[in-house]
């Protein structure tokens, strides 16, 4: 299998935090190295975004949001080593932004208490992801198979550090779109509901591609976003 193609020319790349809140504790921080939270702050509930902009990029930016049990890593490389959506669309000239939602992956600093336990649950996820009924795959399912591909896939599954909050995630997406400019949002599964909420917050989100979108929420009252400058910050 040929895993790599001709080199990509990347004009800019980097990462940033999107959205988030700040916990501020009352009191005064007086003693150096004090363990007490008094008078201290903690920045929490932001998304983490990694971006790459190819040379001669198109106007559109693609902003990818993962589903449950995943992080932005799911868009980077296929489990069998082939190029993932991130690289495939860079090759087509799109600016690509990959998010880890608040309280997961590289955005794990949450504003609520959470508990992470090493529970054996991969058969459950196998069924949830509709690969088949564990350990048997559905006929013609396209997920790569084989010992190493399965190993790589399962090691990308990552837990929540706090409860999933679609409103927090929507705020992070809207902030990221504000930085990216003219944005097409690509969501998967659990990412579906915060994606639609984000579109009500940001006029920079021009379209949504929702893959197997989750819809486990009721639309709250939301203000329609005013027109925004869609020029990129990068």
């Amino acid at each position: 299998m040929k895993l790599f193609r001709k080199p990509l020319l990347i004009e800019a790349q980097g990462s940033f935090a999107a959205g988030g809140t700040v916990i501020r504790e009352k009191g005064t921080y007086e003693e150096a190295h004090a363990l007490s939270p008094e008078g201290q702050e903690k920045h929490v509930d932001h998304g983490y975004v990694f971006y790459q902009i190819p040379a001669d990029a198109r106007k559109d930016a693609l902003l990818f949001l993962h589903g449950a049990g995943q992080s932005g890593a799911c868009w980077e490389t296929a489990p069998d080593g082939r190029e993932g959506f991130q690289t495939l669309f860079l090759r087509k000239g799109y600016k690509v932004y990959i998010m880890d939602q608040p309280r997961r992956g590289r955005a794990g600093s949450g504003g609520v208490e959470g508990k992470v336990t090493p529970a054996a649950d991969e058969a459950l996820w196998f069924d949830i992801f509709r690969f088949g009924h564990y350990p048997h795959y559905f006929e013609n399912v396209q997920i790569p198979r084989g010992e190493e591909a399965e190993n790589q896939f399962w090691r990308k599954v990552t837990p929540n550090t706090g409860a999933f909050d679609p409103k927090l995630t929507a705020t992070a997406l809207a902030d990221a779109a504000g930085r990216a400019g003219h944005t097409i949002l690509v969501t998967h599964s659990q990412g579906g509901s915060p994606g639609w909420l984000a579109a009500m917050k940001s006029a920079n989100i021009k379209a949504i591609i929702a893959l197997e979108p989750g819809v486990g929420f009721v639309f709250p009252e939301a203000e329609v976003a005013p027109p925004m400058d869609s020029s990129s910050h990068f």
Side-chain angles (χ1 to χ4, degrees):
M1 180 187 298
K2 185 177 180 181
L3 299 182
F4 303 103
R5 298 165 59 186
K6 64 181 181 180
L8 269 168
L9 183 58
I10 302 298
E11 184 175 284
Q13 69 176 26
S15 62
F16 58 88
T21 59
V22 180
I23 296 173
R24 294 182 174 89
E25 295 289 347
K26 296 179 180 180
T28 304
Y29 180 73
E30 296 178 341
E31 183 182 350
H33 306 291
L35 298 179
S36 170
E38 290 184 0
Q40 299 195 55
E41 296 182 347
K42 188 171 182 63
H43 288 66
V44 297
D45 288 342
H46 49 270
Y48 170 92
V49 181
F50 175 75
Y51 69 91
Q52 290 181 303
I53 299 175
D56 300 319
R58 297 170 182 254
K59 176 183 179 180
D60 297 319
L62 298 178
L63 173 56
F64 289 87
L65 178 65
H66 54 80
Q70 301 287 298
S71 71
C74 70
W75 304 106
E76 296 172 356
T77 307
D80 59 0
R82 290 173 298 154
E83 291 182 341
F85 280 33
Q86 179 183 47
T87 309
L88 292 173
F89 281 100
L90 283 170
R91 291 193 182 282
K92 293 181 179 294
Y94 290 94
K95 298 172 280 189
V96 175
Y97 292 71
I98 305 290
M99 176 178 283
D100 288 6
Q101 74 179 32
R103 303 175 185 170
R104 194 177 303 165
R106 291 168 291 186
S109 183
V112 296
E113 291 187 7
K115 183 179 181 181
V116 177
T117 58
D121 59 1
E122 290 174 359
L124 171 63
W125 283 110
F126 187 97
D127 289 358
I128 289 174
F129 292 149
R130 292 180 292 285
F131 297 161
H133 181 58
Y134 186 85
H136 304 293
Y137 287 91
F138 289 138
E139 184 178 356
N140 296 326
V141 70
Q142 296 300 299
I143 185 72
R145 306 186 198 185
E147 183 177 355
E148 181 55 18
E150 291 179 358
N151 176 61
Q152 290 296 323
F153 176 82
W154 291 119
R155 294 190 184 281
K156 288 185 179 181
V157 175
T158 189
N160 287 331
T161 59
F164 168 64
D165 188 325
K167 292 182 181 179
L168 284 178
T169 304
T171 298
L173 286 170
D175 186 22
R179 295 169 179 256
H182 194 282
T183 298
I184 299 170
L185 182 58
V186 184
T187 65
H188 176 232
S189 194
Q190 189 184 63
S193 57
W196 288 312
L197 290 172
M200 291 190 285
K201 291 175 174 288
S202 173
N204 274 7
I205 298 176
K206 304 300 184 180
I208 296 176
I209 300 171
L211 307 175
E212 300 181 312
V215 291
F217 74 102
V218 176
F219 281 106
E221 294 182 2
E223 295 181 358
V224 176
M228 298 173 63
D229 179 6
S230 61
S231 61
S232 174
H233 288 203
F234 301 108

